[in-house]
Amino acid sequence: GNKVTVVLGAQWGDEGKGKVVDLLATESDIVCRCQGGNNAGHTVVVDGKEYDFHLFPSGIINPKAISFIGNGVVIHLPGLFEEAEKNEKKGLKDWEKRLIISDRAHIVFDFHQAVDGLQEVQRQAQEGKNIGTTKKGIGPTYSSKAARTGLRICDLLSDFDEFSSRFKNLAQQYKSMFPTLEIDTEGQLKKLKGYAEKIRPMVRDGVYFMYEALHGSPKKILVEGANAALLDIDFGTYPFVTSSNCTVGGVCTGLGVPPQHIGDVYGVVKAYTTRVGIGAFPTEQINEIGDLLQSRGHEWGVTTGRKRRCGWLDLVSLKYVHMINGFTALALTKLDILDVLDEIKIGIAYKLGGKRIPYLPANQEILQKVEVEYETMPGWKTDTTGARKWEDLPPKAQNYIRCVENHLGVPDVFSSLVKWVGVGKSRESMIQLF
């Protein structure tokens, strides 16, 4: 049968997954999303046009590929059509002929989004800090799913009276929890009925769809992870995480694919580290280095517009993420942002009370306390944006990449883990090494 190729974020998001996916999507037959919702933001630049995707798989640009939104994704229908409209203005055509939606995907309602905002306000008031969600209703929808009160695409497309009464019950539950919440139940139901007819032709049983894709004629199937490993609900820096599994296990559960069909798993890593919102960030640089990375790297969120916190590359967390995902290769992006630095540091170990610890602490308070041990290297002080092959990179930059591989335990001198190095915005600026 066919195997799926998976692209996953290996840090706290914003690693440049969109570009790697775009690179692979040009030759894929099917591009899938398996988790998250429109809290994701993937930017893809094609022919000088910048597309921003939130719910759509980035492969939607490829007129030859089918895009699939799997059961693990939570779907805000107004958001889906708004996104379609925005990208149609930029030249996206016939997307509805290329999109397939799993009937088992849960629906994000407007009141989920309102509740997301109210919960953040509550957290801020009670704990003095919020999680920093995108307020897109993702957390509350996954909560409804786990509490078994959620509604799915298949419910919307079945008996609408039954759907309406379940919708009203759920709305009522939220109103009793949040007395200030206003819900225009009838208005929303009317809109939902309209969306139901628009998406009906795109909806399929995702399990059968994926099974046929895996067992039919040879096909290239790509899975685009959203968010990133350190935001994973199980393995991330809890509680400052998202509500889904953004590590490799989410691919199996979010699409209905058995593990033996997972082929290459590509991790996307920025040459430094960024994080949006609050939570532990051991290698963060709150100084001119951090400011330099922030401005040179244009580090603010696609979905939220928030400034990203910046710091050195953290190999302790990267190693941990590699243990979970078993990457077959890595894409190292935005190397060019480091071009101007005199010296570059890589975090290679965590210390607690002066002693090295061989793991990434699960507890948030302990993780806040770790000290990072760094390896310092000389910067290459050369513009790398014109590099198109390995040989074009300055020896000191090659050194930096090899150092990352060594720490991740690449066994011998002849094998490498870094398959791509990104040195700029365009499709061409992804150097492929093997």
Side-chain angles (χ1 to χ4, degrees):
N2 297 315
K3 295 231 192 245
V4 302
T5 298
V6 184
V7 176
L8 300 172
Q11 292 158 311
W12 278 289
D14 312 308
E15 303 90 352
K17 293 180 289 293
K19 190 178 281 114
V20 180
V21 168
D22 176 52
L23 201 75
L24 297 166
T26 47
E27 31 215 62
S28 296
D29 301 298
I30 304 174
V31 184
C32 315
R33 277 279 307 273
C34 64
Q35 44 67 235
N38 57 343
N39 58 334
H42 295 172
T43 306
V44 178
V45 183
V46 184
D47 301 327
K49 284 205 186 84
E50 225 176 80
Y51 296 88
D52 280 342
F53 296 119
H54 298 279
L55 258 170
F56 280 132
S58 303
I60 199 80
I61 305 184
N62 177 357
K64 294 191 280 289
I66 294 287
S67 287
F68 177 55
I69 296 180
N71 58 276
V73 177
V74 292
I75 303 175
H76 183 243
L77 291 164
L80 183 77
F81 286 100
E82 195 180 308
E83 183 176 337
E85 212 170 288
K86 271 189 183 152
N87 287 301
E88 276 170 355
K89 289 197 177 106
K90 294 179 179 177
L92 181 69
K93 286 188 193 54
D94 295 331
W95 61 271
E96 54 277 88
K97 297 193 177 84
R98 301 196 293 276
L99 184 67
I100 291 178
I101 298 172
S102 167
D103 61 352
R104 287 182 173 84
H106 278 254
I107 304 171
V108 180
F109 296 118
D110 290 352
F111 60 69
H112 281 129
Q113 297 199 334
V115 163
D116 204 352
L118 290 171
Q119 282 177 331
E120 282 285 79
V121 169
Q122 242 180 28
R123 283 181 200 116
Q124 189 67 50
Q126 285 162 2
E127 298 161 40
K129 55 178 188 270
N130 54 29
I131 288 172
T133 82
T134 56
K135 302 191 175 70
K136 298 284 183 195
I138 308 302
T141 307
Y142 280 115
S143 298
S144 297
K145 176 177 174 173
R148 292 157 295 184
T149 53
L151 285 152
R152 302 189 290 177
I153 297 288
C154 57
D155 304 319
L156 175 64
L157 299 187
S158 305
D159 179 341
F160 198 75
D161 292 336
E162 175 60 28
F163 176 85
S164 301
S165 78
R166 283 176 60 194
F167 177 87
K168 285 172 183 161
N169 285 345
L170 185 57
Q172 203 40 59
Q173 272 180 34
Y174 276 121
K175 275 174 124 153
S176 60
M177 283 195 294
F178 301 93
T180 58
L181 189 63
E182 308 238 321
I183 304 174
D184 171 14
T185 316
E186 292 310 323
Q188 284 195 34
L189 280 167
K190 203 176 145 196
K191 278 188 185 149
L192 284 159
K193 198 170 188 150
Y195 289 128
E197 294 325 302
K198 280 172 99 167
I199 65 162
R200 197 179 290 279
M202 303 173 217
V203 176
R204 298 265 296 272
D205 185 303
V207 173
Y208 288 84
F209 170 75
M210 283 307 298
Y211 185 84
E212 282 169 6
L214 292 170
H215 296 274
S217 57
K219 279 190 179 61
K220 285 201 148 107
I221 306 168
L222 180 64
V223 180
E224 169 178 16
N227 320 108
L230 296 176
L231 296 173
D232 182 279
I233 183 81
D234 282 280
F235 303 112
T237 46
Y238 193 90
F240 304 107
V241 293
T242 193
S243 311
S244 61
N245 285 112
C246 359
T247 42
V248 73
V251 178
C252 295
T253 54
L255 296 173
V257 169
Q260 67 266 29
H261 282 282
I262 294 194
D264 279 313
V265 180
Y266 296 136
V268 189
V269 183
K270 196 146 45 183
Y272 49 101
T273 309
T274 60
R275 175 163 202 176
V276 173
I278 57 171
F281 182 172
T283 62
E284 182 174 13
Q285 297 299 300
I286 307 171
N287 52 29
E288 58 284 1
I289 296 284
D291 296 342
L292 179 89
L293 294 170
Q294 210 274 326
S295 62
R296 271 185 64 84
H298 304 290
E299 296 296 349
W300 42 82
V302 181
T303 304
T304 58
R306 287 179 293 194
K307 253 189 183 191
R308 297 185 190 134
R309 300 154 62 193
C310 299
W312 297 117
L313 184 59
D314 180 341
L315 291 185
V316 179
S317 65
L318 188 56
K319 225 178 214 172
Y320 164 79
V321 168
H322 188 26
M323 287 175 192
I324 297 162
N325 285 327
F327 296 126
T328 54
L330 295 178
L332 186 75
T333 60
K334 295 184 101 162
L335 184 75
D336 55 303
I337 306 305
L338 306 180
D339 286 352
V340 298
L341 292 165
D342 294 314
E343 55 172 41
I344 296 167
K345 294 185 178 185
I346 296 187
I348 56 166
Y350 287 173
K351 289 166 148 169
L352 270 178
K355 277 203 202 56
R356 271 192 178 203
I357 52 169
Y359 58 91
L360 187 133
N363 175 273
Q364 189 61 23
E365 283 71 38
I366 295 176
L367 186 57
Q368 294 275 15
K369 288 194 184 84
V370 300
E371 268 181 86
V372 182
E373 187 180 313
Y374 290 103
E375 187 163 315
T376 306
M377 319 177 139
W380 44 90
K381 308 280 286 179
T382 316
D383 182 355
T384 58
T385 54
R388 292 297 172 262
K389 47 187 198 297
W390 174 254
E391 294 73 44
D392 299 342
L393 290 170
K396 285 173 181 161
Q398 294 180 351
N399 226 2
Y400 180 75
I401 296 161
R402 291 297 175 235
C403 176
V404 172
E405 292 180 326
N406 292 342
H407 281 286
L408 291 175
V410 173
D412 63 77
V413 113
F414 301 108
S415 61
S416 55
L417 189 58
V418 175
K419 187 177 170 79
W420 295 277
V421 177
V423 290
K425 255 196 150 169
S426 69
R427 272 182 178 180
E428 295 70 55
S429 53
M430 269 299 204
I431 303 170
Q432 189 164 339
L433 307 188
F434 61 86

